[in-house]
Amino acid sequence: MNELDSTRFETLRVRTDGVRATVTLDNPPTNLFDPQMIDDVSRLLGILRADPETRVVVFDSADPDFFIGHADLNLFLAPRTEVPPRPHVLNGLQALFEDLRTLPQATIGVLEGRAVGGGAEFLSSLDMVFAARGRAVLSQFEAAVGVIPGATGSQRLPRMLGRQRALEVILGCDEFDADTAAAYGLVNRALPAEELRGFVDRLAARIASFPAKTIAINKAAVDAATPPYFDGLLEETHALDQTLVDGEAQRRMKALLALGAQDREFELTRFSTALEELDR
């Protein structure tokens, strides 16, 4: 039996057919990227990295409204009194998303709902993402709460979109629908919702028919075309540390939580507009 079939996760449901795995994110009420989901994803990636049989991994969600709501804001509320020295290792979420990006398997995201903050950074660490028209939403909201997209976003987005569009996404903190996300390069394609899963199933099956070693080598060759991420990610952590020392970011995150952040209905209907209320 494949280890993926026998491993229990609290926030993930995993199905395999020998060469393909489907990982369904399932952490109600909003698929919050909280410590339990972080731990589950970390364990999953360790299994996948050592798995010689699985060739394609498809990530989807049990909740059609949320892929990943965002990272748990409580992870960032501890008071900081001074900026730590410049780091020499990646922070925890950076390391996790780099492990995801560098898996030997081809990874595909099926985006039918919201992917905000860390959820968008999760998706940008996959090899391909396909989004449902009329349903998918992507957003980096971190600047509105006084921080940066510090889980690889500040480094991924300029490479994916170019500087100007990356800054629009990061500083504007706006929500992007599937078609705009595809036009900008945040996702591969926007597809009608009723066609999305069929398209991804066919693509995953096609890739899974190719040799596992060839998939891994092609990924490594493509990654060699651009500079390594490591130094940029260290600078990203240092920048994030600087935003967390004066208490303003914690004040804004607490204010967002007080307004209802991480509640399902709030996240669906008020999250974006509430970001404009944090200075009042």
Side-chain angles (χ1 to χ4, degrees), residues 148-164:
I148 69 168
T152 72
S154 76
Q155 302 303 297
R156 299 263 197 267
L157 291 177
R159 298 188 191 209
M160 294 169 64
L161 314 183
R163 181 178 184 272
Q164 291 178 323

Side-chain angles (χ1 to χ4, degrees), residues 2 18-19 47-55 104-105 211-213:
N2 190 306
V19 292
I47 294 169
L48 286 170
R49 190 167 293 281
D51 180 354
E53 303 300 327
T54 300
R55 302 175 189 181
Q105 294 88 3
K213 183 177 180 180

